[in-house]
Structures are given as structure tokens and as C-alpha cells.
């Protein structure tokens, strides 16, 4: 006997629906609907009170109209009235209307709440269920406020019917999701855990869902659920399939409950109690064994249900990541599924393997399936599955297979679905960068990427290749040659023209020796693309041209000709016109020296997180792909919320550092050359790949003084470059620059309060930074702190990189700088608050802005606090901000030097120290150290050629202190004598102390 | 969590929509259209999961669907749900409808939209799975129908109404 017989029901409703279905056109349908709406409205407004049946019929009609996509703006009041009916039918249709149509912030909520309150206290289970459903479906804040106490009470009351308990559990879950602050944990929590023992499996299922959510937020409060869940799971798994009667689904015992229990266990680390742990391992083994048994039914439902449990068990095994035998079995099982004929299973196997790839026990095992996965990428008909294959290839990639995987992804890209191309492009770019052994391969890969999928190559990708080429001397010639060749193609993508223009403009000279790529040929090649390009690209090309004028004086005439043509000088686009005019003028009036300075090669970029990785994270919602280890952590957070316990399994793999830290570790950082002399960097070409807005840099700049052409802040890497104008002898520009920097300071936050340090201050690497600005300041098993800094005049900026070496998040991360008395009056250090969470394997960057007010001796302290696992870590490191950082080198002739030397003959002004050499007395190293210290190294000043003489000016906000130094080595005695003369005794003393430690 | 449950036919006509998060009516209609667009262009025999559309919040959404004759049953879920579990849930839902309506067809869903909602409410509540045992669900639905019948019989004789 069917539960709904087709004969009864509402005839009026049926007629109306038939009418609608018979409508021949959309217009006719709308007309019919409007007629009906008018009819219902008049019925509702009419004097005659409607009986329950009519109300119900009209509400059903409204629901139908709503489903067709028409707004319903009346009837709500009638629906609310139905709630207070004591007839089930009416009440039920009222609740239905409300849960479909009433918005959570409706005005009627108060009335609805009243009705719900009545039903909850009615002790009629049907009515109570209707009310609980309504709360769960609407889930508004007002409802949470009104029922925060009632729902838990109903849930744990002894006399509540099973079906009501089920509803109450899920209702509470919903309220906890929408308004967690309103649901107080209380004495009911422990009783909720015991619902896991309930007789009724429906109640257990609902309770498990609730506990999963609560345990994610308060793992400690629900710890006891682990043993109960294991016990329950064990009973289900080992039961004969008939024991659970109705909860057996196609011969699988309670599959949904099993899945939920396995999810709950993923909120916790492996149980500590050996007995429970053993029982759980037994369960997992049984589940894995069952997968190998012949199926009890041929129906797809049987295998679905069985595999749902199996996949969840595998997830738990991966989550625990502690039992190598189980992990191997899980990996083998997934390997079988990779070739299964069911598409769903192949999809899920690829997905699970992605998380398995980040387990250190199984990374290698996953890699053995590479051929199968590549084959899936090539042959799967289903884009969903191919997408998973791409994800897995990305996750299993490491240095050993990067070339193969990148090649496969590139070839797949040619035929890939449009919807996933951009993501694949990003992934290829990241893998190529991360695992590049030869940078020639990296350059080839990216150029291929642009050739194959130029439209999908985002700005970040080509910015990045340029950053890398600029920062790595060894690849520049190759890059120039390769882009030159790539540009030969008759049709190239605009992104290739951009990369080509930039690289040839910087490094075209490296291939100009070859007559096949002579300067003129290079220029003609670039210019042949010019007219096909968009305005931003043309602007970039114009900048490349002006750089050519500097690189190749022989093509100056040709380029001036091009700049002078009407199509440039009178271009309708203001930006292009202005560039043409300014570059032309620059090339005419500036001497070769000035041109060489102005158009100097770009300085290396500061190391930073790959912009591509950032983009991919953003695109995928911060996680689903990102780093290999991130993937695993992400999943943990998604599923369980808590990740603290994964710590035991980390650390041996090389951290998935981005290219940034690779650079730091592998090669001497390219930025480690002597600090650029301030006057050198006025016009670092305004096509900085760091900032797209750099295209527009100089649109507001006045024309006449040529060096202001690109004085916009964005054209310089650190924004500090503006102060370079000072030395170029332009007072107004100087004050502008200064005020700009002051703005930078005033925006940042004040220095952290004093006296927060409690850990011993670590200074071991401090002295290493006296003569250099970049490197690793501190490192322990958890954390690596890297520094990059740049100083100009009395200002400095320090980039502090905090690398999380574990795969677990650091929580409550904070880093502040403390300047104790009297340093706080001498030095201003402004920090931006750091992000409180540092993901496993991720690097956090913090910028410190430093201003030197007067000379100082002490150094500030960097205090770092964070939670890792259960414990709070507290680290204090002496920050290498030393007085010599504010040196400006001064060149002078021998005569000047001795004249000043004599002027500083007051005994207080001179400090001398004789000390033993700690390192080998190599002349070149000593020279480098003195330059690194910040002074100019003066050649031919001292009559004794083996002595070293230096000069410089210390800049502070209040005073400037001229300094002269002399270092006399005695190689036989392995001794040095260092003499410092400055106008202030305290400065002499401090500088002498600092420098004498270096030799 | 289940974010939404949608049923539409091969032409994209919605037959049931149930959202467990709040969206404006316009957005709901857009989600239905987008979902239909995503699902309908897929071949038979491909897998039953795909990345969710852009309109529903959250980056880890998946669409899990089944296609029965003229109807698509689509569940939009986040990553806390088991894919195969939801696939089975769709099957339970359809089997329950089949039992309640006796060889359920698209017309039953059209003319008894309230009943379909009631059956669904016995299975899914506030986006969470409430009950998976078909017999339990049918018992509840039967009980409701009995109450309904008794009320209709006593209070109302449905004639001549329009």
C-alpha cells in the first residue's frame, strides 16, 4: 500500500499545475501565475475566514509558484497563523512554507518563535519534531537566542522519544554552527557523549554528527568519545550483516554510521590506550580485508556503501599516519582503485592519494603509481577525474620526477579543458620553480607555458620568471638567447613579447656578440611585434627601447627615430606619448655616464613568497592545492579542525620551502652584493614586474628634470629609493622623499610594550650581520628566522621571514620588537602586526621600519611567541640593527683624508684597539668586510699599501657623524690595530667594538 | 554539511529546491541554473562528483548527483561529507519516494511537492543527515499520512474547489 495514494490531494492545486504545464509560452505562464496570485491575495484579504484546507491549498500553490522562480511577497502571515493550528496538516504546511520561504531575518521571527515554543513544550513528538526541524532549517540568531536552553534539555532528557532526540541533536548542531557563542557548554556535554551508546542507531548517527562538530571546537571536552566510538565501530564492523536489521544497507552494516564514527576519530590522534588502539587497528584491518572479499551483491549500491566505509577508513589511517603496515595496505588498495572500472572509485582514489602523498611513510609508495596517474590524465573521459589526476601529480612531484611531471602537464595543457587551464598553468609554474635544478630548464618551461597557453598565463607567472632571471646571474645569458629565439615565431603571445622585451632590455647585451642577434636585429625583432600589442605592452617595449640606447649606443639613432615618429610622440594614449617624449628627451640631453646610471640594470628583487603560489592559494581558497604538506594539513583542518597532534611525523622531509628559501639556502643570495650607492638607482626601469601599477608610474611626474621621470614610489623596490634623489642634488625632491618616508612610519603601529621578554636573549648570529644585511638570524627545530634589510641615510627597512619548519600550524603567533632604555629614545622601530597563524611549511614575512634618531649602542630585541602543539614557545633574539648600518660611504682623496684625520685629534674622538686575528688575514675578505661595514674603502691613501683606510658618515635624525678608520694588519704577529676617529667619542667606541669583532 | 538539494528535469525545470543556507531568491534561481548547466553537459558513465559552482559559499563544495530517467538529483555538499555516502543517500531518497508513491515519476514530484518535502525532512535536517533507514522514514511518513487522512475526513470534504 503506497504511503501517498495518487487520488487524494488537492484538486485545485492539481488543476492549477496542469494549467501552468499547458501554457504554450512563457508569457502565458506568467499571465496564469499573476491571475492565481491575485486570486490567492484576494482570498487571504477577504472577509470570509478561510478554513484550514483552503489555506493549505493556497500555500501549496505559492510554493509551486516560488519554485518556478517567482518572488512571493505575501502569504507569510497566513503561514505563521497555520503554525498555531492544532491540526497536524495545517501546522505542517505552515512550517513547510516558513522553512522554504522565510528569511532568517524576517520580521515575523518573533511570532514564529512563539509558535515553536508552544510546540516544543507540547510533549507531542510529531509537533516537537516539526518545531525542531523549523529551528534547524531557519537557524537564525534570534532562534538560537530563544532556544539555546531548550534544545539541549530536550536532547538529554530521559523521556524524550528517539525520533525527537535525533532531531534535537541535529538542531543543536545547526545552532552551534550559526551562533556558537550562544550555545553554552554545560552538564549536557558529557551526556551527549553517552548517546554514542544509545540503542537506536538513528540517534547514534545524529549524535555522532553533533559530537564531530563540538569536538572540533573543544577537543578536550569530548576526548572520552574516542573510546566509545571505537567500541561502537568495532561492534558494527564485526557484526554479521543481519544483526543491525534495518540499518543494514545492501548487505553493509550501518554504512553511514561507520563513516561518521571514522570521521569523529579523525578529530583525534591515535588513541593512547594500547587496548583501544589495538581494537581500532583491528577494525581498520577488518575493513581493509572486507574490500578483498567477493561482493555479497552485484548491485552498485552494495559496493558504494562498502567503499564509502573503506575510503573513510583509509582517510583515518592517513590521518593517524602512524602504522606503516596499514599505510602500505591503504596505498595498495588505492592503487587497485586507480585502475578500477568504476569512474567514481578512480576519482576518489586519486583524491585520497593526494593526501597520502604528503605522508612521509608513503610519499615514495605513491610515486610508484606515477605512470598510472599520467595515463589517467591522458585517457580519462571525465574532466573531474582528470582534474584530480593533475592534483595528484602536483602532490607527488619532487626533485626526482619534476621533469617528467612538468613535461606531462605541459603536453596535457594543449588539450586541457578551458575551465582548468589557468590552474594547471599556475601549478606548472610553481613546480618548475620549486624543483628546478638547472635554471635553463626553468626558463624553457615557462616560455613553453606561455607558448602553449599564453592566454591563461597570469601576470604573476611572467613577473616571477623575470624576478628569477634578474636575481640569477647564471641564467641571464641563456634567458636572453631563448627569448630571442622564441620571438622569431611569426605569431607569439603578447605575454612572450612582454617577457622578451623585459629580458632583452636588461640582458640583450649578453647575446649581442653573435651577429645573428646583433643589437639592431634584436631591436627590429621587438619592434616588429610592437604594433600588434596592447598599450601596457607597448609601454613596456618603449622602456626596453630606452634601455637599448644605453646598452647599444650604435642603435641610438634608430631608436630615436622610432620615438620621434608621430605614432609615438602624438600617440592618443597619454602614457605612451609621455614615455616617448621623456625617453627621447632623456636620450638627447643626458651624457653617457648619466644614461648608464639612470638606465642601469635592475637590482635584484627582494626574496619573497612566490606570487604564483599566493595566487594559487587564493584561487583554490587557501588550501586545496598549495604545498604538498599543506594539502594534508588543510584536509585535517577541513575535516577535523584540530591538527595539533600531527607533530610526531614531521620534520625529516626537506621543508617545502618556496623558491625564496631555496635561494637563501643554496646560493649566496644575489642581493648580497655591496649595498647600491644611493645615486645609482634613479630610473630602474619602470616596468618592475613586482607591481603592475608601475606601468603608470610617471604619468604625474613633471617633465623637465629628467631624473624625476620615474620618481614614483612604486618604481623602486623598497620605496626607499626615493631618497636617492637627495644625492642627485635636488632639494625639493629630497624633502618629498623624506616626507614620504615619514608617512610610511606614521602609518605603522607603535612599538610593542616594554618588558615582555622573558626568554634569554639569543645573540649567537648577531655579529655575523654587522657587515652584511641578509641571512639566517636564528634557527631551531621549529622555526627559522631569516633577515633581509636595506638602509638609506638614517632610515632602514628590515624584512623578517619566519619559516615554519614543521607541518603544523603555529597559532597565536606574535613578533614584536622591544627597545629598552635608553635605546627607545635613540631608535624607532615600527612593526606591523604579524599574522597570528603560520601554516606548516609556510613562511611569514614581517616588515620593520627603522629610524635612527641618534647614535646608539644597544640593539633591539625581537620577541617571538607562538603556540606549537600544546606548548607556548618564547624566543627572544637580538636584532642586528647596529650603528654602522646608517653609514653613507664617503670617497675622498688622500689629502682630504689626512686633513680631516688631523682635525679629529681630540683624545676622546679617537679609539684604538689592538687585537688578535680570529680568522685568516685575507686581504680581499678584509676589504669586503670594510665595505660591508658601510664605509668607503679608500685606495692609495695610506702610505703603507697593506693598511686599510675607510671613510663614511653616520646619519641619524638629529646629527651626522663623520667617521674615519684605519686598520693595520700585522701578518707575522697575526694581530690587527684598528683606529677610529669620529667627532663623537661614543660613536668611535661603538664602531670600534663592532668592527674589531669581525676579523 | 549538505548546502542544498536540487531536483530538476532533463530540461532544467526545477522540481524541488531545498537550501540549507540562506540565499536571496535570485541567487537560488541562479544556483539552480548553474548547477543544471554543470551537470547536464556531462556524459553518462562519468563519475558522479564534480567541483561545485561558484555561487555557493565555500571553496570545498562538491556536487554529487545521480540521473534517473528524466530527473537529476543533485546534492551540493562540503568536504565534511563522504562522497559515496551521499551517493547512497540519494539512492535511499529515491527508493523511499518510489515506495511512497509506488513507481514514482516526475509528475508525482510536481503534484505532491509538499509530500516530497516531508519525506526529505525525515532524511535531512538543517543540512545534516537525520535518518538513513528507509523503513524508519516510511513509518514516519505513514504516520503523518494517517493523521492527515483522519483530519481531512473529519473536517473537510474536498469538492468543487478551485
Amino acid at each position: 500500500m503506497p504511503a501517498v495514494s495518487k487520488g487524494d490531494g488537492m484538486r485545485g492545486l492539481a488543476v492549477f499545475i496542469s494549467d501552468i504545464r499547458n501554457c504554450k509560452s512563457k508569457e502565458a505562464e506568467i499571465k496564469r501565475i499573476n491571475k492565481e496570485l491575485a486570486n490567492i491575495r484576494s482570498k487571504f484579504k477577504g472577509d470570509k475566514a478561510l478554513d484550514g484546507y483552503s489555506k493549505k491549498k493556497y500555500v501549496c500553490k505559492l510554493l509551486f509558484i516560488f519554485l518556478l522562480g517567482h518572488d512571493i511577497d505575501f502569504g507569510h502571515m497566513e503561514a505563521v497563523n497555520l503554525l498555531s493550528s492544532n491540526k497536524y496538516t495545517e501546522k505542517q504546511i505552515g512550517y513547510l512554507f516558513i522553512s522554504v520561504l522565510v528569511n532568517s531575518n524576517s520580521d515575523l521571527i518573533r511570532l514564529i518563535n512563539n509558535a515553536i515554543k508552544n510546540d516544543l513544550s507540547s510533549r507531542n513528538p510529531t509537533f516537537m519534531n516539526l518545531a525542531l526541524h523549523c529551528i534547524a532549517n531557519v537557524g537564525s540568531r534570534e532562534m538560537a537566542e530563544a532556544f539555546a536552553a531548550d534544545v539541549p534539555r530536550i536532547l538529554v532528557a530521559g523521556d524524550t522519544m528517539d525520533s525527537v532526540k535525533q532531531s534535537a541533536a541535529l538542531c543543536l548542531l545547526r545552532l552551534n554552527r550559526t551562533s556558537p557563542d550562544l550555545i553554552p557548554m554545560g552538564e549536557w556535554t558529557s551526556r551527549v557523549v553517552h548517546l554514542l551508546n544509545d540503542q537506536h542507531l538513528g540517534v547514534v548517527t545524529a549524535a555522532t554528527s553533533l559530537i564531530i562538530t563540538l569536538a572540533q571546537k573543544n577537543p578536550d571536552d569530548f576526548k572520552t568519545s574516542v573510546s566509545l566510538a571505537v567500541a561502537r565501530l568495532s561492534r558494527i564492523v564485526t557484526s554479521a550483516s543481519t544483526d543491525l536489521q534495518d540499518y543494514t544497507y545492501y548487505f553493509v552494516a550501518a554504512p553511514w554510521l561507520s563513516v561518521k564514527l571514522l570521521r569523529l576519530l579523525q578529530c583525534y590522534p591515535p588513541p593512547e590506550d594500547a587496548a583501544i588502539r589495538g581494537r581500532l587497528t583491528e577494525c581498520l584491518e577488518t575493513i581493509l580485508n572486507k574490500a578483498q572479499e567477493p561482493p555479497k551483491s552485484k548491485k552498485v549500491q552494495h559496493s558504494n556503501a562498502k567503499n564509502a566505509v573503506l575510503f573513510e577508513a583509509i582517510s583515518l589511517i592517513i590521518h593517524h599516519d602512524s602504522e606503516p603496515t596499514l599505510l602500505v595496505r591503504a596505498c595498495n588498495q588505492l592503487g587497485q582503485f586507480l585502475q578500477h572500472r568504476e569512474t567514481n572509485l578512480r576519482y576518489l582514489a586519486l583524491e585520497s592519494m593526494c593526501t597520502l602523498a604528503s605522508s612521509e611513510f608513503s610519499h615514495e609508495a605513491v610515486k610508484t603509481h606515477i605512470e598510472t596517474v599520467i595515463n589517467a590524465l591522458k585517457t580519462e573521459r571525465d574532466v573531474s577525474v582528470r582534474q584530480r589526476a593533475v592534483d595528484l601529480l602536483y602532490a607527488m612531484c619532487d626533485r626526482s620526477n619534476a621533469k617528467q611531471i612538468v613535461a606531462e602537464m605541459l603536453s596535457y595543457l594543449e588539450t586541457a579543458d578551458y575551465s582548468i587551464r589557468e590552474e594547471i598553468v599556475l601549478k606548472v609554474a610553481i613546480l618548475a620553480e620549486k624543483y628546478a635544478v638547472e635554471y635553463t630548464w626553468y626558463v624553457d618551461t615557462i616560455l613553453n607555458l606561455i607558448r602553449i597557453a599564453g592566454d591563461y598565463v597570469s601576470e604573476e607567472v611572467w613577473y616571477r620568471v623575470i624576478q628569477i632571471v634578474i636575481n640569477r646571474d647564471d641564467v641571464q645569458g641563456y634567458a636572453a638567447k631563448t627569448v630571442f629565439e622564441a620571438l622569431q615565431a611569426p605569431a607569439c603571445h603578447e605575454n612572450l613579447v612582454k617577457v622578451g622585451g623585459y629580458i632583452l632590455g636588461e640582458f640583450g647585451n649578453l647575446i649581442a656578440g653573435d651577429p645573428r642577434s646583433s643589437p639592431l636585429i634584436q631591436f627590429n625583432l621587438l619592434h616588429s611585434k610592437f604594433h600588434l600589442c596592447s598599450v601596457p605592452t607597448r609601454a613596456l617595449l618603449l622602456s626596453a627601447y630606452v634601455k637599448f640606447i644605453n646598452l647599444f649606443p650604435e642603435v641610438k639613432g634608430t631608436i630615436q627615430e622610432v620615438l620621434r615618429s608621430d605614432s609615438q610622440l602624438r600617440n592618443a594614449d597619454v602614457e605612451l606619448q609621455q614615455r616617448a617624449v621623456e625617453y627621447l628627451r632623456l636620450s638627447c640631453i643626458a651624457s653617457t655616464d648619466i644614461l648608464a646610471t639612470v638606465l642601469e640594470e635592475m637590482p635584484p628583487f627582494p626574496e619573497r613568497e612566490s606570487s604564483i603560489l599566493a595566487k594559487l592559494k587564493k584561487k583554490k581558497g587557501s588550501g586545496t592545492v598549495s604545498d604538498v604538506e599543506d594539502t594534508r594539513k588543510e584536509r585535517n583542518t577541513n575535516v577535523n579542525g584540530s591538527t595539533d597532534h600531527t607533530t610526531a611525523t614531521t620534520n625529516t622531509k626537506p621543508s617545502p620551502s618556496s623558491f625564496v628559501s631555496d635561494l637563501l639556502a643554496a646560493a649566496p643570495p644575489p642581493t648580497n652584493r655591496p649595498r647600491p650607492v644611493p645615486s645609482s638607482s634613479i630610473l630602474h626601469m619602470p616596468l618592475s614586474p613586482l607591481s603592475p601599477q608601475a606601468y603608470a608610474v610617471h604619468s604625474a611626474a613633471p617633465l623637465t628634470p629628467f631624473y624625476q621621470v620615474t620618481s614614483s614610489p612604486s618604481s623602486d623596490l623598497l620605496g626607499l629609493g626615493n631618497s636617492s634623489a637627495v644625492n642627485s642634488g635636488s632639494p625639493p625632491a629630497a624633502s618629498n622623499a623624506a616626507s614620504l618616508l615619514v608617512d610610511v612610519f606614521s602609518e605603522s603601529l607603535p612599538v610593542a610594550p616594554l618588558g615582555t621578554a622573558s626568554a634569554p636573549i639569543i645573540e649567537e648570529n648577531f655579529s655575523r650581520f654587522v657587515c652584511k644585511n641578509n641571512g639566517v638570524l636564528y634557527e631551531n627545530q621549529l622555526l627559522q628566522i631569516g633577515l633581509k634589510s636595506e638602509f638609506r641615510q638614517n632610515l632602514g627597512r628590515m624584512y623578517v621571514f619566519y619559516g615554519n619548519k614543521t607541518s603544523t600550524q603555529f597559532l597565536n603567533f606574535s613578533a614584536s620588537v622591544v627597545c629598552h632604555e635608553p635605546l627607545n629614545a635613540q631608535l624607532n622601530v615600527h612593526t606591523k602586526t604579524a599574522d597570528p597563524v603560520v601554516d606548516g611549511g609556510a613562511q611569514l614575512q614581517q616588515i620593520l621600519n627603522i629610524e635612527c634618531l641618534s647614535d646608539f649602542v644597544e640593539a633591539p630585541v625581537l620577541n617571538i611567541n607562538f603556540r606549537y602543539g600544546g606548548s607556548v614557545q618564547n624566543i627572544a633574539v637580538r636584532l642586528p640593527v647596529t650603528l654602522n648600518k646608517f653609514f653613507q660611504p664617503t670617497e675622498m682623496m688622500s689629502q682630504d683624508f689626512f686633513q680631516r684625520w688631523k682635525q679629529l685629534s681630540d683624545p676622546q674622538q679617537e679609539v684604538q684597539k689592538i687585537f688578535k686575528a680570529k680568522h685568516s688575514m685575507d686581504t680581499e675578505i678584509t676589504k669586503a668586510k670594510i665595505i660591508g661595514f658601510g664605509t668607503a674603502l679608500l685606495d692609495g691613501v695610506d702610505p703603507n699599501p697593506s693598511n686599510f683606510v675607510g671613510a663614511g658618515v653616520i646619519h641619524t635624525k638629529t646629527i651626522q657623524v663623520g667617521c674615519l678608520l684605519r686598520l693595520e694588519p700585522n701578518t707575522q704577529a697575526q694581530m690587527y690595530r684598528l683606529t677610529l676617529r669620529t667627532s663623537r667619542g661614543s660613536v668611535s667606541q661603538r664602531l670600534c667594538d663592532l668592527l674589531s669583532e669581525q676579523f | 554539511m549538505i548546502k542544498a538539494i536540487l531536483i530538476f528535469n532533463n530540461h532544467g525545470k526545477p522540481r524541488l529546491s531545498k537550501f540549507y543556507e540562506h540565499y536571496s531568491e535570485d541567487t537560488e534561481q541562479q544556483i539552480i541554473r548553474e548547477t543544471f548547466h554543470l551537470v547536464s553537459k556531462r556524459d553518462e558513465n562519468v563519475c558522479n562528483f564534480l567541483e561545485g559552482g561558484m555561487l555557493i559559499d565555500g571553496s570545498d563544495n562538491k556536487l554529487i548527483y545521480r540521473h534517473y530517467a528524466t530527473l537529476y538529483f543533485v546534492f551540493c555538499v562540503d568536504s565534511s561529507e563522504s562522497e559515496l555516502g551521499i551517493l547512497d543517500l540519494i539512492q535511499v531518497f529515491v527508493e523511499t519516494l518510489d515506495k511512497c508513491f509506488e513507481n514514482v515519476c516526475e509528475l508525482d514530484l510536481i503534484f505532491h511537492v509538499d509530500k516530497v518535502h516531508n519525506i526529505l525532512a525525515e532524511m535531512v535536517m538543517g543540512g545534516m543527515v537525520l535518518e538513513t533507514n528507509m523503513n524508519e522514514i516510511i513509518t514516519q511518513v505513514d504516520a503523518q499520512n494517517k493523521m492527515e487522512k483522519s483530519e481531512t475526513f473529519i473536517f473537510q470534504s474536498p469538492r468543487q474547489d478551485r
Side-chain angles (χ1 to χ4, degrees), chain A residues 71 89 92 250 351 388, chain B residues 25 51 62 95 118 151:
Chain A
D71 284 0
T89 349
Q92 184 259 342
Y250 288 91
E351 190 177 60
R388 289 288 84 84
Chain B
E25 285 155 25
E51 304 289 311
K62 273 207 179 117
E95 284 184 26
N118 291 345
E151 285 174 357

Side-chain angles (χ1 to χ4, degrees), chain A residues 509-702:
Chain A
N509 54 329
L510 298 178
I511 55 166
D514 187 330
R516 285 165 300 177
S517 51
S518 72
L520 191 62
I521 294 176
Q522 284 186 41
F523 171 73
N524 285 336
L525 180 62
L526 278 183
H527 199 53
S528 69
K529 317 284 180 194
F530 187 89
H531 302 280
L532 302 168
C533 292
S534 63
V535 168
T537 309
R538 288 190 198 189
L540 186 150
L541 285 177
L542 287 179
S543 297
Y545 295 169
V546 77
K547 287 234 159 180
F548 269 19
I549 292 182
N550 175 43
L551 290 181
F552 316 120
E554 63 266 39
V555 295
K556 183 171 174 178
T558 319
I559 292 175
Q560 283 177 332
E561 201 59 38
V562 168
L563 292 175
R564 203 175 281 129
S565 72
D566 278 358
S567 60
Q568 309 299 349
L569 276 192
R570 300 193 178 171
N571 195 296
D573 186 90
V574 175
E575 177 67 31
L576 292 182
Q577 192 187 85
Q578 191 172 355
R579 282 195 193 211
V581 171
E582 290 173 8
Y583 291 160
L584 182 59
R585 190 84 190 119
L586 176 67
S587 71
C588 293
I589 61 168
S591 72
T592 17
D593 279 355
I594 291 178
L595 267 187
T597 311
V598 168
L599 301 171
E600 197 196 25
E601 187 182 304
M602 286 292 288
F605 290 92
E607 289 144 9
R608 55 184 69 201
E609 184 190 26
S610 160
S611 48
I612 311 174
L613 203 56
K615 164 131 184 165
L616 186 64
K617 280 182 184 161
K618 198 170 142 203
K619 190 175 160 60
K620 298 295 280 186
S622 86
T624 24
V625 271
S626 63
D627 263 320
V628 173
E629 282 189 15
D630 280 356
T631 321
R632 162 203 173 86
K633 178 187 54 57
E634 279 304 326
R635 186 174 161 90
N636 287 346
T637 354
N638 285 346
V639 180
N640 325 303
S642 128
T643 55
D644 284 359
H645 44 267
T646 53
T647 53
T649 63
T650 52
N651 279 346
T652 40
K653 263 179 38 168
S655 75
S657 52
S658 66
F659 184 64
V660 175
S661 40
D662 276 7
L663 270 182
L664 268 174
T671 45
N672 207 4
R673 48 172 90 161
R675 281 176 292 146
V677 199
S679 61
S680 73
S681 57
I682 303 165
L683 184 96
H684 289 139
M685 288 212 330
L687 29 71
S688 154
L690 286 174
S691 48
Q693 66 269 35
Y695 292 132
V697 283
H698 56 282
S699 47

